Amino acid sequence: MLRRALLAAAASEQIRGLVTALPATRAVVGRYVAGESIGDAVRVARSLREAGLLVTLDYLGEDTTDSLRASAVATQYVQLLGKLAAEGLTEAGAVEVSVKPTAVGLLLGSAEAAGEGGPGRVSALGERVAAEHIERIAVAARDAGTTVTLDAEDHRTTDAGLRIAAALRPRFPSLGSVVQAALRRTETDVRALAAPGVRVRLCKGAYAEPVAEAFTTRHDVDKSYARCLRLLLAGAGYPMVATHDPRLVAIARSLARDRAPDSFEHQMLYGVRPDEQRRLAAAGARVRVYVPYGGDWYGYLVRRLAERPANLTFFLRSLWSSS
Ligand code: FDA
Protein backbone atom coordinates (compact mmCIF):
# COMPACT_ATOMS: atom_id res chain seq x y z
CA MET A 1 0.00 0.00 0.00
CA LEU A 2 2.67 2.49 1.09
CA ARG A 3 4.80 1.50 -1.90
CA ARG A 4 1.93 2.06 -4.34
CA ALA A 5 1.02 5.39 -2.73
CA LEU A 6 4.61 6.60 -2.95
CA LEU A 7 5.03 5.51 -6.55
CA ALA A 8 1.74 7.25 -7.42
CA ALA A 9 2.79 10.42 -5.57
CA ALA A 10 6.03 10.37 -7.55
CA ALA A 11 4.05 11.20 -10.68
CA SER A 12 2.82 14.53 -9.21
CA GLU A 13 4.74 17.52 -10.55
CA GLN A 14 3.90 19.48 -7.38
CA ILE A 15 5.45 16.84 -5.13
CA ARG A 16 8.47 16.60 -7.43
CA GLY A 17 8.98 20.38 -7.17
CA LEU A 18 8.70 20.31 -3.39
CA VAL A 19 10.99 17.34 -2.80
CA THR A 20 13.71 18.41 -5.22
CA ALA A 21 13.84 21.92 -3.73
CA LEU A 22 14.51 20.70 -0.17
CA PRO A 23 18.18 21.01 0.80
CA ALA A 24 17.93 17.88 2.96
CA THR A 25 16.93 15.83 -0.06
CA ARG A 26 20.44 16.35 -1.44
CA ALA A 27 21.98 14.52 1.50
CA VAL A 28 19.75 11.51 0.91
CA VAL A 29 20.37 11.62 -2.83
CA GLY A 30 24.11 11.52 -2.14
CA ARG A 31 23.69 8.13 -0.53
CA TYR A 32 22.26 6.55 -3.71
CA VAL A 33 23.61 8.70 -6.54
CA ALA A 34 27.29 9.21 -7.50
CA GLY A 35 26.88 12.90 -8.37
CA GLU A 36 25.80 14.96 -11.34
CA SER A 37 28.75 14.84 -13.75
CA ILE A 38 30.73 12.30 -15.77
CA GLY A 39 33.66 13.16 -13.49
CA ASP A 40 31.62 12.09 -10.44
CA ALA A 41 30.62 8.84 -12.16
CA VAL A 42 34.22 8.03 -13.10
CA ARG A 43 35.48 8.85 -9.58
CA VAL A 44 32.95 6.53 -7.91
CA ALA A 45 33.54 3.79 -10.50
CA ARG A 46 37.28 3.97 -9.85
CA SER A 47 36.89 3.69 -6.09
CA LEU A 48 34.54 0.69 -6.43
CA ARG A 49 37.01 -0.99 -8.80
CA GLU A 50 39.76 -0.43 -6.23
CA ALA A 51 37.55 -2.26 -3.74
CA GLY A 52 37.34 -5.26 -6.10
CA LEU A 53 33.82 -4.56 -7.35
CA LEU A 54 32.49 -4.41 -10.91
CA VAL A 55 30.32 -1.46 -11.93
CA THR A 56 27.44 -0.53 -14.20
CA LEU A 57 26.78 3.19 -14.66
CA ASP A 58 23.34 4.63 -15.33
CA TYR A 59 22.84 8.18 -16.57
CA LEU A 60 19.67 9.19 -14.73
CA GLY A 61 16.57 10.17 -16.67
CA GLU A 62 13.54 8.40 -18.06
CA ASP A 63 10.30 8.92 -19.96
CA THR A 64 11.90 11.32 -22.43
CA THR A 65 9.29 12.78 -24.76
CA ASP A 66 11.61 15.14 -26.61
CA SER A 67 13.77 13.79 -29.45
CA LEU A 68 16.60 16.26 -28.82
CA ARG A 69 16.77 15.14 -25.20
CA ALA A 70 16.82 11.47 -26.26
CA SER A 71 19.73 12.19 -28.55
CA ALA A 72 21.55 14.16 -25.82
CA VAL A 73 21.21 11.20 -23.44
CA ALA A 74 22.81 8.89 -26.02
CA THR A 75 25.63 11.40 -26.54
CA GLN A 76 26.18 11.53 -22.78
CA TYR A 77 26.66 7.75 -22.74
CA VAL A 78 29.10 7.90 -25.67
CA GLN A 79 31.14 10.56 -23.85
CA LEU A 80 31.03 8.61 -20.61
CA LEU A 81 32.26 5.44 -22.34
CA GLY A 82 35.13 7.38 -23.96
CA LYS A 83 36.17 8.77 -20.59
CA LEU A 84 35.93 5.38 -18.87
CA ALA A 85 38.09 3.78 -21.59
CA ALA A 86 40.68 6.57 -21.34
CA GLU A 87 40.90 5.90 -17.61
CA GLY A 88 41.40 2.15 -18.20
CA LEU A 89 38.18 1.23 -16.39
CA THR A 90 36.36 -0.66 -19.14
CA GLU A 91 38.83 -3.50 -19.60
CA ALA A 92 37.04 -6.87 -19.90
CA GLY A 93 33.75 -5.15 -19.14
CA ALA A 94 34.77 -4.22 -15.59
CA VAL A 95 32.71 -1.04 -15.90
CA GLU A 96 29.73 -1.20 -18.25
CA VAL A 97 26.65 0.99 -18.71
CA SER A 98 22.93 0.49 -18.07
CA VAL A 99 20.48 2.31 -20.32
CA LYS A 100 16.75 2.92 -19.85
CA PRO A 101 15.06 2.63 -23.25
CA THR A 102 12.59 5.41 -22.35
CA ALA A 103 15.52 7.76 -21.65
CA VAL A 104 16.59 7.44 -25.29
CA GLY A 105 13.16 7.91 -26.83
CA LEU A 106 11.13 4.71 -26.46
CA LEU A 107 8.03 6.73 -25.50
CA LEU A 108 8.35 9.28 -28.32
CA GLY A 109 5.02 9.47 -30.09
CA SER A 110 3.33 7.37 -27.41
CA ALA A 111 0.46 9.85 -26.92
CA GLU A 112 -0.35 9.60 -30.62
CA ALA A 113 -0.08 5.81 -30.37
CA ALA A 114 -3.30 5.60 -28.32
CA GLY A 115 -4.92 3.82 -31.26
CA GLU A 116 -2.16 1.20 -31.13
CA GLY A 117 -3.22 0.05 -27.68
CA GLY A 118 -3.80 2.92 -25.30
CA PRO A 119 -1.86 5.95 -23.99
CA GLY A 120 1.68 5.28 -22.94
CA ARG A 121 2.00 2.43 -25.43
CA VAL A 122 5.24 2.31 -27.34
CA SER A 123 4.86 3.66 -30.88
CA ALA A 124 6.74 2.42 -33.94
CA LEU A 125 8.54 5.78 -33.99
CA GLY A 126 9.60 5.48 -30.34
CA GLU A 127 10.92 1.95 -30.80
CA ARG A 128 12.91 2.92 -33.91
CA VAL A 129 14.45 6.02 -32.27
CA ALA A 130 15.35 4.15 -29.07
CA ALA A 131 16.86 1.26 -31.09
CA GLU A 132 19.04 3.69 -33.08
CA HIS A 133 20.33 5.42 -29.95
CA ILE A 134 20.96 2.14 -28.15
CA GLU A 135 22.90 0.88 -31.16
CA ARG A 136 25.04 4.03 -31.06
CA ILE A 137 25.76 3.42 -27.38
CA ALA A 138 26.47 -0.28 -28.03
CA VAL A 139 29.05 0.67 -30.70
CA ALA A 140 30.74 3.08 -28.27
CA ALA A 141 30.71 0.41 -25.57
CA ARG A 142 32.26 -2.17 -27.90
CA ASP A 143 34.95 0.35 -28.96
CA ALA A 144 35.65 0.91 -25.27
CA GLY A 145 35.96 -2.85 -24.62
CA THR A 146 32.78 -3.13 -22.62
CA THR A 147 29.04 -3.54 -23.03
CA VAL A 148 25.51 -2.27 -22.37
CA THR A 149 22.59 -3.62 -20.35
CA LEU A 150 19.06 -2.44 -21.16
CA ASP A 151 17.15 -1.70 -17.95
CA ALA A 152 13.54 -2.91 -17.63
CA GLU A 153 10.84 -0.30 -17.06
CA ASP A 154 7.07 -0.60 -16.65
CA HIS A 155 5.29 -3.49 -18.35
CA ARG A 156 4.17 -1.41 -21.36
CA THR A 157 7.79 -1.21 -22.46
CA THR A 158 8.79 -4.84 -21.88
CA ASP A 159 8.12 -6.24 -25.36
CA ALA A 160 9.84 -3.36 -27.14
CA GLY A 161 12.88 -3.52 -24.83
CA LEU A 162 13.29 -7.25 -25.38
CA ARG A 163 12.79 -6.84 -29.15
CA ILE A 164 15.46 -4.13 -29.38
CA ALA A 165 17.91 -6.31 -27.44
CA ALA A 166 17.17 -9.38 -29.58
CA ALA A 167 17.70 -7.41 -32.79
CA LEU A 168 21.06 -6.03 -31.63
CA ARG A 169 22.39 -9.19 -29.99
CA PRO A 170 23.70 -10.87 -33.19
CA ARG A 171 26.09 -7.91 -33.60
CA PHE A 172 26.58 -7.19 -29.89
CA PRO A 173 26.46 -10.62 -28.22
CA SER A 174 27.21 -9.26 -24.75
CA LEU A 175 24.30 -6.78 -24.75
CA GLY A 176 22.28 -7.55 -21.62
CA SER A 177 18.54 -7.63 -20.93
CA VAL A 178 16.74 -7.13 -17.62
CA VAL A 179 13.69 -9.09 -16.50
CA GLN A 180 11.42 -8.38 -13.52
CA ALA A 181 10.20 -11.23 -11.29
CA ALA A 182 7.12 -9.16 -10.44
CA LEU A 183 5.71 -9.58 -13.96
CA ARG A 184 3.67 -12.73 -14.61
CA ARG A 185 5.22 -13.11 -18.06
CA THR A 186 8.82 -13.20 -16.85
CA GLU A 187 9.19 -16.94 -16.36
CA THR A 188 8.35 -17.39 -20.06
CA ASP A 189 10.77 -14.61 -21.03
CA VAL A 190 13.50 -16.20 -18.94
CA ARG A 191 13.08 -19.56 -20.68
CA ALA A 192 13.66 -17.81 -24.00
CA LEU A 193 16.64 -15.83 -22.70
CA ALA A 194 18.52 -18.63 -20.88
CA ALA A 195 20.54 -19.30 -24.06
CA PRO A 196 24.32 -19.69 -24.41
CA GLY A 197 26.19 -16.53 -23.51
CA VAL A 198 23.14 -14.27 -23.08
CA ARG A 199 23.52 -11.79 -20.22
CA VAL A 200 20.29 -11.53 -18.21
CA ARG A 201 19.77 -9.43 -15.11
CA LEU A 202 16.99 -10.70 -12.86
CA CYS A 203 15.48 -8.12 -10.49
CA LYS A 204 12.22 -8.01 -8.52
CA GLY A 205 10.80 -5.01 -10.41
CA ALA A 206 10.48 -1.46 -9.14
CA TYR A 207 7.26 -0.25 -10.81
CA ALA A 208 3.61 -0.18 -9.65
CA GLU A 209 1.93 -2.52 -12.13
CA PRO A 210 -1.69 -3.59 -12.74
CA VAL A 211 -2.76 -6.88 -11.12
CA ALA A 212 -3.39 -8.43 -14.53
CA GLU A 213 0.31 -8.04 -15.34
CA ALA A 214 2.07 -8.50 -12.03
CA PHE A 215 2.19 -10.42 -8.77
CA THR A 216 1.07 -8.14 -5.99
CA THR A 217 2.36 -9.71 -2.79
CA ARG A 218 5.99 -9.71 -1.78
CA HIS A 219 5.73 -13.45 -1.20
CA ASP A 220 4.55 -14.15 -4.77
CA VAL A 221 7.23 -11.89 -6.24
CA ASP A 222 9.90 -13.69 -4.20
CA LYS A 223 8.61 -17.09 -5.33
CA SER A 224 8.66 -15.93 -8.95
CA TYR A 225 12.22 -14.63 -8.42
CA ALA A 226 13.32 -18.03 -7.08
CA ARG A 227 11.73 -19.87 -10.04
CA CYS A 228 13.40 -17.57 -12.58
CA LEU A 229 16.71 -17.81 -10.72
CA ARG A 230 16.57 -21.59 -10.91
CA LEU A 231 15.99 -21.46 -14.70
CA LEU A 232 18.75 -18.93 -15.31
CA LEU A 233 21.33 -20.66 -13.14
CA ALA A 234 20.56 -24.04 -14.78
CA GLY A 235 20.95 -22.46 -18.24
CA ALA A 236 23.94 -21.66 -20.41
CA GLY A 237 23.62 -17.88 -20.25
CA TYR A 238 25.31 -15.38 -17.95
CA PRO A 239 22.87 -14.64 -15.08
CA MET A 240 23.12 -11.34 -13.22
CA VAL A 241 21.44 -11.80 -9.86
CA ALA A 242 20.22 -8.32 -8.90
CA THR A 243 18.85 -8.33 -5.37
CA HIS A 244 19.79 -7.28 -1.83
CA ASP A 245 17.45 -9.87 -0.37
CA PRO A 246 19.58 -12.11 1.90
CA ARG A 247 17.33 -15.15 1.32
CA LEU A 248 17.49 -14.87 -2.46
CA VAL A 249 21.23 -14.21 -2.40
CA ALA A 250 21.65 -17.41 -0.34
CA ILE A 251 19.42 -19.37 -2.75
CA ALA A 252 21.48 -18.08 -5.70
CA ARG A 253 24.74 -19.10 -4.04
CA SER A 254 23.39 -22.56 -3.35
CA LEU A 255 21.95 -23.06 -6.87
CA ALA A 256 25.20 -21.84 -8.43
CA ARG A 257 27.54 -24.00 -6.37
CA ASP A 258 28.44 -26.16 -9.41
CA ARG A 259 28.89 -23.20 -11.74
CA ALA A 260 32.25 -21.55 -12.40
CA PRO A 261 32.44 -18.42 -10.21
CA ASP A 262 32.97 -16.28 -13.31
CA SER A 263 29.85 -17.63 -15.10
CA PHE A 264 27.40 -15.39 -13.21
CA GLU A 265 27.43 -12.30 -11.01
CA HIS A 266 25.60 -10.64 -8.14
CA GLN A 267 24.41 -7.08 -8.58
CA MET A 268 23.39 -4.51 -5.98
CA LEU A 269 22.61 -0.81 -5.99
CA TYR A 270 25.09 1.87 -4.97
CA GLY A 271 24.45 2.74 -1.33
CA VAL A 272 22.44 -0.39 -0.51
CA ARG A 273 24.10 -3.06 1.65
CA PRO A 274 27.68 -1.97 0.76
CA ASP A 275 29.13 -4.30 3.41
CA GLU A 276 27.39 -7.26 1.82
CA GLN A 277 28.75 -6.24 -1.60
CA ARG A 278 32.27 -6.33 -0.23
CA ARG A 279 31.69 -9.54 1.73
CA LEU A 280 30.50 -11.40 -1.37
CA ALA A 281 33.42 -10.07 -3.44
CA ALA A 282 35.90 -11.08 -0.73
CA ALA A 283 34.38 -14.58 -0.81
CA GLY A 284 35.31 -14.81 -4.50
CA ALA A 285 31.99 -13.85 -6.14
CA ARG A 286 31.73 -11.42 -9.02
CA VAL A 287 29.76 -8.44 -7.66
CA ARG A 288 28.63 -5.49 -9.76
CA VAL A 289 27.37 -2.24 -8.28
CA TYR A 290 24.72 -0.27 -10.17
CA VAL A 291 25.74 3.38 -9.91
CA PRO A 292 23.38 6.12 -11.12
CA TYR A 293 24.60 9.64 -11.79
CA GLY A 294 23.13 12.84 -13.28
CA GLY A 295 20.77 15.60 -12.24
CA ASP A 296 17.49 13.82 -12.99
CA TRP A 297 17.46 11.66 -9.87
CA TYR A 298 13.88 12.19 -8.66
CA GLY A 299 12.17 9.04 -10.09
CA TYR A 300 15.10 6.87 -9.00
CA LEU A 301 15.07 8.26 -5.45
CA VAL A 302 11.33 7.71 -5.03
CA ARG A 303 11.63 4.06 -6.14
CA ARG A 304 14.39 3.51 -3.54
CA LEU A 305 12.29 5.15 -0.81
CA ALA A 306 9.23 3.10 -1.81
CA GLU A 307 11.15 -0.16 -1.56
CA ARG A 308 11.93 0.00 2.09
CA PRO A 309 10.17 1.71 4.98
CA ALA A 310 13.60 2.12 6.64
CA ASN A 311 14.81 4.18 3.66
CA LEU A 312 11.75 6.40 3.97
CA THR A 313 12.30 6.83 7.71
CA PHE A 314 15.92 7.80 7.02
CA PHE A 315 14.71 10.37 4.48
CA LEU A 316 12.07 11.85 6.81
CA ARG A 317 14.56 11.97 9.69
CA SER A 318 17.02 13.90 7.50
CA LEU A 319 14.29 16.38 6.59
CA TRP A 320 13.36 16.80 10.25
CA SER A 321 16.92 17.31 11.48
CA SER A 322 17.59 19.94 8.81
CA SER A 323 14.40 21.92 9.46
P1 FDA B 1 13.59 -6.01 -1.37
O1 FDA B 1 13.51 -4.55 -1.58
O2 FDA B 1 12.32 -6.82 -1.35
O3 FDA B 1 14.38 -6.24 -0.05
C1 FDA B 1 14.53 -7.55 0.46
C2 FDA B 1 15.42 -7.56 1.64
O4 FDA B 1 16.72 -7.08 1.26
C3 FDA B 1 15.00 -6.66 2.77
O5 FDA B 1 13.99 -7.25 3.54
C4 FDA B 1 16.31 -6.50 3.50
O6 FDA B 1 16.59 -7.65 4.23
C5 FDA B 1 17.29 -6.40 2.36
N1 FDA B 1 17.51 -5.00 2.00
C6 FDA B 1 16.94 -4.32 1.00
N2 FDA B 1 17.36 -3.05 0.99
C7 FDA B 1 18.19 -2.93 2.04
C8 FDA B 1 18.94 -1.86 2.57
N3 FDA B 1 18.88 -0.62 2.06
N4 FDA B 1 19.72 -2.10 3.65
C9 FDA B 1 19.76 -3.33 4.20
N5 FDA B 1 19.05 -4.38 3.75
C10 FDA B 1 18.29 -4.19 2.69
N6 FDA B 1 14.17 -2.65 -11.21
C11 FDA B 1 13.53 -2.53 -12.39
O7 FDA B 1 12.30 -2.49 -12.41
N7 FDA B 1 14.24 -2.45 -13.57
C12 FDA B 1 15.60 -2.54 -13.60
O8 FDA B 1 16.20 -2.47 -14.68
C13 FDA B 1 16.29 -2.67 -12.37
N8 FDA B 1 17.64 -2.76 -12.30
C14 FDA B 1 18.25 -3.06 -11.12
C15 FDA B 1 19.63 -3.28 -11.08
C16 FDA B 1 20.23 -3.69 -9.90
C17 FDA B 1 21.70 -3.96 -9.89
C18 FDA B 1 19.45 -3.86 -8.71
C19 FDA B 1 20.06 -4.34 -7.44
C20 FDA B 1 18.11 -3.59 -8.75
C21 FDA B 1 17.50 -3.17 -9.92
N9 FDA B 1 16.15 -2.89 -9.96
C22 FDA B 1 15.54 -2.73 -11.18
C23 FDA B 1 15.40 -2.67 -8.70
C24 FDA B 1 14.71 -3.95 -8.25
O9 FDA B 1 13.66 -4.26 -9.11
C25 FDA B 1 14.17 -3.78 -6.84
O10 FDA B 1 13.20 -2.76 -6.83
C26 FDA B 1 15.23 -3.47 -5.79
O11 FDA B 1 16.41 -4.15 -6.04
C27 FDA B 1 14.74 -3.87 -4.41
O12 FDA B 1 14.47 -5.25 -4.39
P2 FDA B 1 15.39 -6.33 -3.62
O13 FDA B 1 15.52 -7.50 -4.52
O14 FDA B 1 16.66 -5.74 -3.23
O15 FDA B 1 14.52 -6.78 -2.41
Side-chain angles (χ1 to χ4, degrees), residues 64-67 105-127 129 156:
T64 303
T65 50
D66 163 0
S67 60
L106 190 66
L107 293 181
L108 287 179
S110 66
E112 297 79 37
E116 296 172 27
R121 286 278 155 187
V122 171
S123 71
L125 168 76
E127 188 165 337
V129 171
R156 296 166 308 170

Side-chain angles (χ1 to χ4, degrees), residues 152 180 201 204-207 218 243-245 269 272 307-308:
Q180 298 153 312
R201 177 196 300 158
K204 287 193 184 180
Y207 296 81
R218 188 174 278 262
T243 182
H244 315 99
D245 191 326
L269 302 175
V272 180
E307 258 149 36
R308 237 183 143 235

Side-chain angles (χ1 to χ4, degrees), residues 92-312:
V95 179
E96 53 136 47
V97 294
S98 287
V99 178
K100 286 193 171 32
T102 72
V104 288
L106 190 66
L107 293 181
L108 287 179
S110 66
E112 297 79 37
E116 296 172 27
R121 286 278 155 187
V122 171
S123 71
L125 168 76
E127 188 165 337
R128 182 172 51 74
V129 171
E132 284 169 6
H133 288 316
I134 290 166
E135 180 174 353
R136 213 177 122 211
I137 299 168
V139 168
R142 187 176 56 195
D143 291 350
T146 188
T147 192
V148 181
T149 299
L150 296 190
D151 281 352
E153 301 175 82
D154 78 56
H155 76 276
R156 296 166 308 170
T157 67
T158 309
D159 278 319
L162 292 176
R163 267 197 306 269
I164 292 172
L168 289 173
R169 207 164 268 129
R171 277 184 300 138
F172 304 96
S174 59
L175 185 125
S177 286
V178 179
V179 290
Q180 298 153 312
L183 295 186
R184 297 178 190 277
R185 58 176 288 166
T186 294
E187 216 177 313
T188 309
D189 290 334
V190 158
R191 284 181 201 278
L193 285 165
V198 177
R199 294 170 65 252
V200 183
R201 177 196 300 158
L202 174 64
C203 66
K204 287 193 184 180
Y207 296 81
E209 301 282 14
V211 180
E213 302 292 339
F215 300 110
T216 48
T217 68
R218 188 174 278 262
H219 183 61
D220 285 341
V221 174
D222 289 358
K223 280 200 309 195
S224 166
Y225 195 105
R227 286 194 301 273
C228 294
L229 197 54
R230 193 174 292 277
L231 288 168
L232 286 172
L233 286 169
Y238 182 84
M240 302 184 277
V241 183
T243 182
H244 315 99
D245 191 326
R247 282 180 55 212
L248 292 170
V249 169
I251 291 172
R253 305 230 35 85
S254 157
L255 289 172
R257 63 184 172 272
D258 294 331
R259 286 185 75 111
D262 62 356
S263 71
F264 72 102
E265 66 188 43
H266 292 274
Q267 296 192 341
M268 295 192 188
L269 302 175
Y270 180 61
V272 180
R273 303 197 74 202
D275 295 346
E276 177 66 359
Q277 295 169 12
R278 283 165 173 72
R279 187 193 70 78
L280 283 167
R286 281 168 68 84
V287 181
R288 192 176 300 273
V289 184
Y290 183 106
V291 181
Y293 79 98
D296 194 0
W297 41 258
Y298 177 73
Y300 183 85
L301 176 75
V302 172
R303 287 196 292 279
R304 300 295 74 82
L305 295 180
E307 258 149 36
R308 237 183 143 235
N311 292 348
L312 187 61

